[in-house]
Amino acid sequence: MPQYDVVTLGETMMRLTPPGYLRIEQTRSFDIWVGGTESNTAVGLARLGLRAAWLSRLPATPMGRYVSNRVAQYGVDVSRVIWADADERLGIFFHEKSQAPRTSHIIYDRADSAMSRIQPGDLPSALFAEGVASMFHVTGITLAISDSARATALAAMGRAKDAGWQISFDTNYRSGLWSGPQAADGCHEAMALADIVFCPSGDYQVMYGEATAEDAIAKLAQEYPKATIVMTMGRDGALARSASGALMRQPAILAGDIGRIGGGDAFAAGFLYAWLTGADLALALKWGAAMSAHKYTIHGDLPLVDFDEVEALVEGASGGGLVR
Amino acid sequence: MPQYDVVTLGETMMRLTPPGYLRIEQTRSFDIWVGGTESNTAVGLARLGLRAAWLSRLPATPMGRYVSNRVAQYGVDVSRVIWADADERLGIFFHEKSQAPRTSHIIYDRADSAMSRIQPGDLPSALFAEGVASMFHVTGITLAISDSARATALAAMGRAKDAGWQISFDTNYRSGLWSGPQAADGCHEAMALADIVFCPSGDYQVMYGEATAEDAIAKLAQEYPKATIVMTMGRDGALARSASGALMRQPAILAGDIGRIGGGDAFAAGFLYAWLTGADLALALKWGAAMSAHKYTIHGDLPLVDFDEVEALVEGASGGGLVR
Amino acid sequence: MPQYDVVTLGETMMRLTPPGYLRIEQTRSFDIWVGGTESNTAVGLARLGLRAAWLSRLPATPMGRYVSNRVAQYGVDVSRVIWADADERLGIFFHEKSQAPRTSHIIYDRADSAMSRIQPGDLPSALFAEGVASMFHVTGITLAISDSARATALAAMGRAKDAGWQISFDTNYRSGLWSGPQAADGCHEAMALADIVFCPSGDYQVMYGEATAEDAIAKLAQEYPKATIVMTMGRDGALARSASGALMRQPAILAGDIGRIGGGDAFAAGFLYAWLTGADLALALKWGAAMSAHKYTIHGDLPLVDFDEVEALVEGASGGGLVR
Amino acid sequence: MPQYDVVTLGETMMRLTPPGYLRIEQTRSFDIWVGGTESNTAVGLARLGLRAAWLSRLPATPMGRYVSNRVAQYGVDVSRVIWADADERLGIFFHEKSQAPRTSHIIYDRADSAMSRIQPGDLPSALFAEGVASMFHVTGITLAISDSARATALAAMGRAKDAGWQISFDTNYRSGLWSGPQAADGCHEAMALADIVFCPSGDYQVMYGEATAEDAIAKLAQEYPKATIVMTMGRDGALARSASGALMRQPAILAGDIGRIGGGDAFAAGFLYAWLTGADLALALKWGAAMSAHKYTIHGDLPLVDFDEVEALVEGASGGGLVR
Amino acid sequence: MPQYDVVTLGETMMRLTPPGYLRIEQTRSFDIWVGGTESNTAVGLARLGLRAAWLSRLPATPMGRYVSNRVAQYGVDVSRVIWADADERLGIFFHEKSQAPRTSHIIYDRADSAMSRIQPGDLPSALFAEGVASMFHVTGITLAISDSARATALAAMGRAKDAGWQISFDTNYRSGLWSGPQAADGCHEAMALADIVFCPSGDYQVMYGEATAEDAIAKLAQEYPKATIVMTMGRDGALARSASGALMRQPAILAGDIGRIGGGDAFAAGFLYAWLTGADLALALKWGAAMSAHKYTIHGDLPLVDFDEVEALVEGASGGGLVR
Amino acid sequence: MPQYDVVTLGETMMRLTPPGYLRIEQTRSFDIWVGGTESNTAVGLARLGLRAAWLSRLPATPMGRYVSNRVAQYGVDVSRVIWADADERLGIFFHEKSQAPRTSHIIYDRADSAMSRIQPGDLPSALFAEGVASMFHVTGITLAISDSARATALAAMGRAKDAGWQISFDTNYRSGLWSGPQAADGCHEAMALADIVFCPSGDYQVMYGEATAEDAIAKLAQEYPKATIVMTMGRDGALARSASGALMRQPAILAGDIGRIGGGDAFAAGFLYAWLTGADLALALKWGAAMSAHKYTIHGDLPLVDFDEVEALVEGASGGGLVR
C-alpha cells in the first residue's frame, strides 16, 4: 500500500475576514482562516479517510506555523513542508463578504511570499518514487504565482509521472495572477501531463473563449485526449468526459451560502476520493457535487465534512433538518 | 386564587452551541443557553403573565445555579428545586446548527445527571394540595430519562390529579432516550391521566405508526377519551380534538429560522395560557401557533416573547417590519 | 469653488444594538453605531466625493466625541460642531432587530439631549455666506426634537437661502416626536423654502392622509410649486416631479436586509450627489436608488459605499457575486 | 418568621462599559451590567441566604426588564417593583476603567429616570406591616436623585420604623447628585431614624469636613446616639461604634482590582447578613470586610459570592490558589 | 533511530472556561481549551523538536475529534488513538479563574468518559516493540480514573519496559480521583517500574505525609532506588536526586500568571527533552524550570513555546520586554 | 496664524494583534489597530488641541482607507495623503504581547508598501510655504524604509526649513530596518537640519556605542549644536539639553503596561505641544513624560488622551482612582 493516496503542492495563505458582513473599513477585528486550493483539497481527502500530504514553502514565523498547524490539524501530512527563514513572508488575502447588490471581494497580498520563492531543488528527493503515493494533484495557481513555483510544480508533475502516479490538475484561473490567454498557455504543459483535468466552465471562457460546455469539453478532450475532463458549471452542475469519450452529467446540489470559497476544491476532493476508491465517473461526479454542496455550508476555506454526511447525500438523503 | 397557575417538572440542561454556523470542530467558544422542555414552557407561561413554578433536581454547582438563575430570571418560581450535592452533574447538550444540505445536530451528554436521580420522595409534600395550583405539566422526556424520574413524574401527576389540578402532558419523543414503541408504552399511564395531551404528528408516527393526522388524532381520542388532544404538524399547522369530539385546525404561522429549538414548548405555553385564561379550543390553538412562531425568531430555548407582540399576532397583525 | 458642496444640520445619536438577532433582554453587550439622518446623508455625500459639513451640538464627553469621531472619520467636516458642557447628554437609541413575524424596534432615549438645546445663536455666523456652500440639507426630525432646534433649523435655512444656496429638505417623519398633522404643520415653513423636498410615501400618508403616489406628489407640487419633489415608496421605487412638472419613475433595486436603517438618508445622498454634479432628474433618482440599495447591505446607519460600486450599479451592473 | 429579612428601595441602572481597558472613544461595543447600591446589597444578602426584596420604579421597556431580570436572577424578590409606562426611561451610567495614572470614570446619564419620578403613593401599602420584614435598607443616593424619591424613601423609612423593622442607612455620597453640605443636611432625617448607619470616611470628609476616623465616628455617635455607626476606610479597613459606645476595628482584606464598583454595597450586605443572623459587631465587620474583598474579584456591580467562600475567608482561610 | 522519542498515554478533556475572570454564573460563553497531563507533555516535547505519540480513547464525536485535532495540530502523532462509538462521552472540566482572595476552581465532569473505559486489549500490539520508541510517559491520573485505565497503563508500562524503553512517571495527584494514601498505594507499582519519577512536593505531603523536600526525596529514593527522582516545589523551584544519589537544585524562574494550568506538565516536557537529548540532571532541571516558566505565560493547557525562547531562558536571557 | 501647527510625514501600518495574551498560533482573530510613529505623534498633538497634518502614501484599498479613516477620526488632517493604485499594498505588522519571561514580539511585513514607494515629487508643492505651518516632524523610520522615502523626507525637511518652519526629528531606531551604524550615518543629514532631536538612550547605544546619558547628550550636542536634544531613558525618565547648553532632567511617571507601543511618539507629542505653546524646556519635558505615561494606559498605538487629564498630571495630580 502506498504511504499516501494523494500528494499536493501549492501555496496556502492566511485569510483575514471581517466578522459577518462588516466592511473592512468598519471592522475592529479580522477572523483568521487559512486557505489554499491544494491544501483545501488535501484536507477534504483526509476528512474522507484518504492519506494526503501537502508540500509547500512557509516562513518559520508564527504566521507560517499557523498555516501548517491548521492543515495538520485535520489530518494532512505536513512533514514535507519546506521552512524558509523568519524574514520571509506568508501570503495574505483579505475577504470582504457582501449581500447583493454589493459584490464580495477577495484582495490578495501575496506577492513575494515564501511559497512564491520555492525552487525545484526544494522538492523532497525521496518522495517522488514508485509506490510512495497514488496521485499528485496541483492547480494553475501554483503555476502562476512565480516562475520558480511553476518550474517546481512542473518538475514535481514530471517526477510523479515517472514514478507511475496519476496526475490531477485543476486550472483554477485567478485573474489577479495572469490573463486568460496566459493561463491557457501556462497550463498547457501541466494539462498534457494530467490524467484528470478539472476545468470550471468559467475558467474555460476566460482561457479559451466562449463556448457551450459541451463544445468546451470536446475541445479539451481533443487537445488532451488521455485525460478525464471534469467541467464544473456552478448552478448548472458538472459535466465530465472520460478518456474513452463517455459524457456524464451531474446536477448541482442546492446548498447554503456560508462558505462558497473553496467549493471547487471540495468538489475536487470528493471526486478524487471516489476516483481513488474505485468509483465510476458518474459516481465520482456525485461525490464531487455532494462534497461541494457541504462545503457551501461550512465557514472558512477547508471542507470540514464528516464522511457519513457526504455519503448520505451521495446516497440521496435530503439533508437539512435537525437530528436529536 | 391558587398560588400557581402551572407547576412543571423536568430536566433542564446547559446547551453549548458554537457561534453562528461554525462546526463544533471549528469553534473556539461555546455560547451557553439553558433548555429543558418543561422549563421552556414555564418561562413562556410566565412571559404571558401566568404564575409558573418549575420542579427539578440540580447539582449545587455553578452549572446547576446557572440553570436555576436563568429560569428564575424570567419570572418562574424555582424555590422548589431540589439541590443535589456538588459532586453530581448537570446534563449538557451540544448543538451544531447547519444550513441544508448539512443536518443540524443535538448531541446529548445527559446520562446520570442530578435530575435523572430524582426520587418520588424528593417531591415537596405540601405543594400538591388542592388550590395550590391549577395545572400540572410534564412531558415524555421526564418519563424517559430514568426509572426514578419516571416514578417521580407519575407520582406528581397522581398527586396533582388528586388535588384537583388539571394535567397537561406532551409526548415529546426523543430518539436518544427510547424507541417509539417504548415511548408509546411508557407514556400510556401519563396520557391516561392527562386532561390535555400534546402529541406532535412526528411523535405519533414513531410511537404508533404511520397515519394521517385525522386518523392519528381519532385513535388517540379513542384511547384517551377524556383528554383534549393537540397535534402539531410543523408547516402544516396544528389539529386539535376536544373531549367532546370537536375538531379544530390552525394553520402554521410563517416565521424565521433563528430559534426552532423550543418551538413545541412555546406552542404548549401559548396554548395553555389561553386555555387557562378561558379561551376556547380554536383560540388556544391560535395562541399556541403565535407563540411558536415568535419562538422561531428568538435565540436559545426560552420563548422570551412580549405579551403584546404575541397578542398582536393572535389578533391578526402581520408582524415584521420596523417600528420607531 | 465653494468650500462645501453641502452643509447639514441635525442630531446624531449613539445607537445601541444587541449582536445579531438577540433580544435586548438576552444580550450581554451592545454593538455601538452612530446615526442621525443628516450626518448619514453627509457621510454618503463624502463617500461619493463631495465636500460635506455637519452642524450639531454635542456634549463634551467621550460619548459626544464618539459621534463626532465617527462622522469625521468618513470625511465629513465636523469643525463647526458646537460643544456643550460635559454635564449635558447625548441622545441614545436602542435597536432590537428581528425576523418576521416579530417586529424590529427602535426605542429612543433622546429627550433633553445637547442637540435639542441648540439655539439659533449657536449657528456659526461666518458660515452662511454666499459662495461658502452650494446647498443646505435638513430634515423634519431637526424641526421636531425641540422648539429651539426648530428655530435654529429655520434660521439656518433662511440664512442659507439668503446666501444663495440651494435648500434640500426631507420630511423624515418620526411618530415618537410628533403626530402626522403636527408634522404637516411643522414642516410647512421648511418645505416652502426648499428647492428639493424628499417626502416618503409613508410620511405623506401620515402627514396628509391616504393618497396614491401620483396624487400625493401632485398635491405637494401644488403646495410647493418651486420645489422638486421626490417621493420614495419602498419596494415600489421612487417617483419625482420637477418644478417644471415632469414626472420621473425609478424602480427599487433589490437588496439585502442587513442595513435598512439609513436607507432613506442614503437615497438622499445619492440623489443630491447626482443633482449637484449635474445629473438630470431621472439619473439623480437612479443614483438615489443605487445608493439606497447599497446601504441595505451595510451594517450601521452610515452609507459606507465605494464610489465605484455605486456607479457600477447606476450603470447597470448586476452586482453580487465574488470578485477575486 | 417574617417574609423578608431585608427590604430595600433604590434606583438601579444599566451600566455600559467598554471591554477591558478600552476607552469609550475606542470601543465598538459596551458590556452591559446592572447596578444600583440597594439592589447590589440585596443581591449580596440573597447570595448569603437571606430573603431580600427590592423596591424600585422601572420603565416597562426591554431596558427596564433587563434590570429586574438580573436582580431577580440572583434570588431577590422583585415582585414589588412599580412598572412605569414604556415612554419613561431607565437611568444609565457609562464606566471607563483605567490604569493609573489615568483615572477611571463613571459618567451618569440618570436624569429624569422612571425611579426619579417615584412617589410615596407608589409604595405597596400592605408591605410595611409588622412582621413582614426585619429590616429596611436605603442609601443617600435615593434621597438625592429627586425630591419625590427622597419623599418616598423617607416615607418608607417611617413606615418601616412604625412596623417595628430595623432601619439601615448608608450615606453613599455621590458628587454628581449633591454637594457635601447638601448631603449632610439631606441625610440627617434618615440618619436620625436609622439603627445602623454606614458612613465611609471619604463621605464624612466631604459631608462634614476633615477629621480623623475616630473623631468622625465620635461626632456621628454624638449626633445619632441610638445608631450603630460603621465607617469603612478603604485600605485602612473599617471602624465601628456600637450604640453602647464600644469601638471595633477591622483591617481591610487585600483583594484583586477587577470589581471595586459595588465594594461598599457588598460590605453592607456582609455586615447586615451577620447582624441579622446574630453576630456581634466585631464579627459583622469581618463579614463586611470579607464580602467586600470578594466583591473586588468579581466583575460587574453585583456581589455574586458563594456563601462558603465568604465564610471561609471570615474564618481565616487565605484564599487564592487553585482547587481541583 | 526510533520512530518516536516518547509515547504517552492518558485522558485529554475539553476545558470550558469563562472569558477572563468572569464567574461561571456570569458568563454567556465558554472558551474551549483541551487539556490532559500526558498530551500536554507530549505537545511540549513536540514543540521542542522531539517526536511524540499520544495514546488515548476518544468518542467518535465532534468533541472527541476536537481533542485529537488540537493535539495533532501541534505535531503530536495521534494515529494510535482508539476511537469509541459516538454514544460514548468525552470528559469535560470547567475552570473558573479568580483573583485572591477568591479561589480558582476546576470542576471535573469526567466520570464514565471513553478514556475511562480503555482496556489493556486496546493497546496497539505492534507499538511496544524494541526500537519503536525511547521512552514511555504516564501519570498517576491515568491510574486513578478507572480500574481498566489503570490496568491499561500498567500493561503499557510493562510492555515498554520489556521493549527496553525508559519509563517516566509523574504522580500528578488529584484529590477528586483518590485519597493520598490510595494514591501512594496506587502509584507504587508504576513508580517501581519508572526510571524517572516526578513527584511534586505537594503530592508527597498528601500521599506520604509531611516532610521536608530533602527528607521526602530521600525516602522516595530509598523506596525507588533505581529511579531519578524529581521534586518540583512551586516557588521554591525543584530538587532532583539521581539514581547515584547526587542532589541537584534548581530555583524557580519567575513568570506571569496567565497559564499556570499545565505548568507541571510543561516542566516534565522540558526535563524529558533535555534528558533525552543528553543533558545532565542539572541542565535537565533547568530546561524543566524554563519550560514551566514559559507555560505560565501561555493561555490554555498546552505549552505552546518556541524552542528558541526556551533555550534563551535556559541560557540565561532575562526575557520579557519587546523585540521589534 | 499658520494653517497647521505641525506637519508630519511617515508610514502608518495596520497592526494585527491577538486578543489579550494569546499567541498568534492560538488566536482565531486579530484585533486591528493602526500605527505609525509620525501619525501617532500627530494624533497626540491633535488631542492636545493643535492642528496637525499627516503626509503619507496609501493604497486606494479598504486597508489604505482604514488607516486614513482612523488618523482622520482623531482630528488629524489627512487631506494631503497621496493615494496609490489599488494594486499596491499597505504595510502590516503583527504584534504578539507577552508576560515575562516570554518576550513580546513585533513582526513587520512592510516591505514594498505604498509608502516605501513615495517620491519627492509626490510632496504637495504648495504646502511647504512660509506661514503654512510652524513645524515639520519626521523620524528615522521614514529615512530607513526605502531610498525614495528617505529622499522624500529629506526634501520635505529642506523645504520646511526654507519656509522657516522648525524641524523636529526623532531617531526612532528599528533594528529590522538598518544597523546602528547605518542609522547613525543615515540620520546625520536630518539631525543636522533639526531644531529638536529626540534620541532615546537605547537608540544612542545602538547607533553610537555605549555611553552614559550625560556623555551621550553632550556628544550629540557637540555634533548638532543648534538643536535641542531630548533623550528619553525609559524608567530613568528623560534628559534634555537646550541649544544654549542647559541640562534638564525629568523623572519617569509610573504607569500601567497596557499600551507601551507608541509611548515614545506620545512623549514627542506632549513635548512638542508644550514647546509650540511656549513652555520652557523643563515644562516641555514634563508634558512629554505625562503624555507618555498616559499612553501606557491606552490600547493601540494612538495616544487618545484627554487634554484635561494630561494637564492634571503635569500639574501634579496623582491620577488613578475612580471619579464619579
Side-chain angles (χ1 to χ4, degrees), chain C residues 22 25-28, chain E residues 22 25-28:
Chain C
L22 287 179
E25 290 186 63
Q26 295 180 300
T27 191
R28 280 290 301 274
Chain E
L22 287 179
E25 290 186 64
Q26 296 180 300
T27 192
R28 279 291 301 275

Side-chain angles (χ1 to χ4, degrees), chain B residues 38-63:
Chain B
E38 291 91 352
S39 56
N40 295 349
T41 297
V43 164
L45 291 165
R47 294 292 291 195
L48 294 177
L50 297 193
R51 291 150 301 143
W54 169 67
L55 303 181
S56 195
R57 190 168 180 275
L58 290 171
T61 60
M63 286 70 75

Side-chain angles (χ1 to χ4, degrees), chain A residues 108-134:
Chain A
Y108 292 103
D109 180 11
R110 69 195 299 175
D112 209 26
S113 67
M115 176 60 194
S116 75
R117 297 182 180 182
I118 198 171
Q119 302 287 347
D122 289 330
L123 291 172
S125 51
L127 177 66
F128 291 93
E130 202 175 327
V132 174
S134 301

